[in-house]
Amino acid sequence: QVQLVESGGGLVQSGGSLTLSCAVSGTRVDDNAMAWYRQAPGKQRELVAFMTSGGITQTAVFVEGRFTISRDNTKNTLYLQMNSLKPEDTAVYYCAAGPAPGRMNQRGQGTQVTVSS
């Protein structure tokens, strides 16, 4: 059974940093495409960043230069380093896994990130 458990969210001031973690069990981070999504209240879910099984990464334009997706294969964990946070980054952040970036079929419960102005 695949499980994805996010952690690291919290309350931070504008301009601050957070690192989100997604602990994976039941599969390997490097055997899957992995991604971070976010959903703010009243808004649609949006893709923040993804990493292919081969290690190719892509981040959304609205976080480019501020957020970095990475993984630690030995810890079987996915990360999202978030710098220069803005109030508009406030959302629940989810990690996801699947056979390809467009086919994410596993998702965690999410972790709340709140950025105060």
Side-chain angles (χ1 to χ4, degrees), residues 22-33:
C22 174
V24 179
S25 59
T27 188
R28 301 283 316 165
V29 288
D30 47 341
D31 282 344
N32 289 272

Side-chain angles (χ1 to χ4, degrees), residues 1-110:
Q1 181 182 357
V2 176
Q3 282 194 320
L4 309 176
V5 180
E6 301 94 338
S7 62
L11 174 63
V12 64
Q13 288 188 332
S14 181
S17 298
L18 283 174
T19 301
L20 305 184
S21 300
C22 174
V24 179
S25 59
T27 188
R28 301 283 316 165
V29 288
D30 47 341
D31 282 344
N32 289 272
M34 301 292 300
W36 288 98
Y37 290 85
R38 71 185 187 186
Q39 188 164 19
K43 295 187 177 181
Q44 287 191 330
R45 188 182 68 177
E46 55 188 2
L47 176 64
V48 176
F50 73 80
M51 175 180 282
T52 67
S53 57
I56 296 171
T57 63
Q58 186 165 338
T59 52
V61 171
F62 52 83
V63 300
E64 207 164 31
R66 300 190 296 123
F67 291 13
T68 304
I69 187 172
S70 64
R71 71 188 183 202
D72 186 329
N73 296 342
T74 62
K75 295 182 179 179
N76 209 28
T77 299
L78 182 73
Y79 300 99
L80 184 68
Q81 175 67 44
M82 306 186 295
N83 299 323
S84 302
L85 283 160
K86 304 175 182 180
E88 51 263 44
D89 296 318
T90 295
V92 178
Y93 284 72
Y94 304 89
C95 74
R103 295 170 56 197
M104 297 294 178
N105 53 18
Q106 302 288 339
R107 197 187 80 170
Q109 293 299 306

